Amino acid sequence: MSRLLIISLDAVSSDEFDHLCTYPNTKAFVKDASMNLSVQSVFLSNTYPVHASISTGKMPREHGLTSNTEAFPHHLAKWKIKESDIKGKTIWQAAARAGLSVATVFWPSTGGSKHIRYNIPEIPFMRNTNLPLAYLKEGHSALVLRMMIRHSRHLAKVVKALQPGLDSFITACAADLLEHKKPDLTMVHLTAYDTLRHKYGGDKQKLKAAYRSLDRSLGILRKAAGEDVTILILSDHGQFDVHTAISPNEWLRERGLLHKKGREWKKGASGCFFECCAGSAFFHSGSLRLNQVAEIKELVEQSEGFARFLTPEERTLAGKQNTAFGFAAKKGYMYGAEKKGDCSNHGYPLDYPGYEVFYGVKGEGFLPEEKRCGGSLLDIAPLAAKILKIDW
Ligand SMILES: [Zn+2]
């Protein structure tokens, strides 16, 4: 058995990873690692469903975590931060059951876990949420408190979820655990690139701070882990630049099917609504008649930014089989007007060129400088189990 460190570099596509490889620590890692490029992500290609798939080796249909948040109303909805939001076995549960010690630092959907010995869960920034209190409640509170005190110089950034400061805190906590607790399995989620890419779009000049931060984190974590720990790096989805945000729920409001007071949305008598997931959206038809659904479908098809309807298979694998229909935005467009400030987003179907991701492993049994193409993020959980020599 080898101890294992998994690092998720959120939103770095296979193409953008090439650019990250021009930075020294990533370059050195790739030289020592066996890399899989052009790896298929999972649909719905948003952070929480994909990380649940990475952690379980299953599609959203099976693990049940089908969106980052509750479906409606999107911008106020609760994020799926709890371990209990995932159905079925995760890699950290399998490791814990095999008697191994587990640490997770900002790994999605670990809140409230009884399996993770050292848990600092990810709590996305939400209005009216006291982030430090939420960390204490959902994580291992004594550990969270200790880390907040020990790495207090980053705390101002943590409270406001500002990047790349937040990743500095995450990296400091993970390095601390790797050095002092030596967990058998450590899982770390770094979001500087995702956050700054949403904010600035794909301009590499503006993203320098993000690339530098990820590379620095990789260097620190590798050093803290030492040479005996196998390191697996990966990403969850790509991102595409966006110039226009569309709000399909406004169409329902105009027809009296949804209501809005200030920023608050309310369902109408039929209960219908659009679940907006940036690169794609789904129509929950409630008690609408078939002809009304057909009318709305036609409206969608004629709207600006519409790319295509999702296939029944795409909807089913995404766990959205109970929706009336789903559809994807063209590149440059996204669904969900509450994200108007976003210059870039994800949630698109997997056939969009340039949307692939990557993973790579450095450690015993993996050939240095090896480069392969293909594979899927569903490979990660069984691969991690193999490295840890636990049943899967
Ligand atoms: Zn993500």
Side-chain angles (χ1 to χ4, degrees), residues 104-120:
T104 47
V105 186
F106 279 67
W107 195 268
S109 311
T110 59
S113 175
K114 299 272 179 279
H115 301 88
I116 301 166
R117 195 172 301 172
Y118 311 105
N119 187 17
I120 309 172

Side-chain angles (χ1 to χ4, degrees), residues 6 10 204 215-216 239 242 246 263 269 284-286 290 313 315 337 389:
I6 302 178
D10 202 297
K204 290 208 167 47
D215 186 70
R216 184 177 156 272
Q239 277 213 30
V242 163
I246 309 271
R263 292 180 66 189
H284 296 252
S285 57
L290 280 179
E313 197 200 3
R315 271 194 302 132
K389 291 201 170 42

Side-chain angles (χ1 to χ4, degrees), residues 10 47 236-237:
D10 202 297
T47 302
D236 55 349
H237 51 72

Side-chain angles (χ1 to χ4, degrees), residues 192-254:
Y193 182 85
D194 181 67
T195 303
L196 296 175
R197 172 86 198 235
H198 277 295
K199 190 172 172 187
Y200 296 127
D203 183 338
K204 290 208 167 47
Q205 275 305 107
K206 289 183 177 160
L207 292 171
K208 256 188 179 166
Y211 283 113
R212 215 179 285 144
S213 167
L214 286 188
D215 186 70
R216 184 177 156 272
S217 293
L218 185 57
I220 292 171
L221 293 173
R222 184 171 174 179
K223 190 162 170 245
E227 280 310 301
D228 296 340
V229 175
T230 299
I231 302 177
L232 195 171
I233 66 170
L234 57 88
S235 180
D236 55 349
H237 51 72
Q239 277 213 30
F240 293 133
D241 287 0
V242 163
H243 52 70
T244 307
I246 309 271
S247 179
N249 279 324
E250 289 290 347
W251 309 333
L252 301 180
R253 190 182 60 79
E254 285 159 15

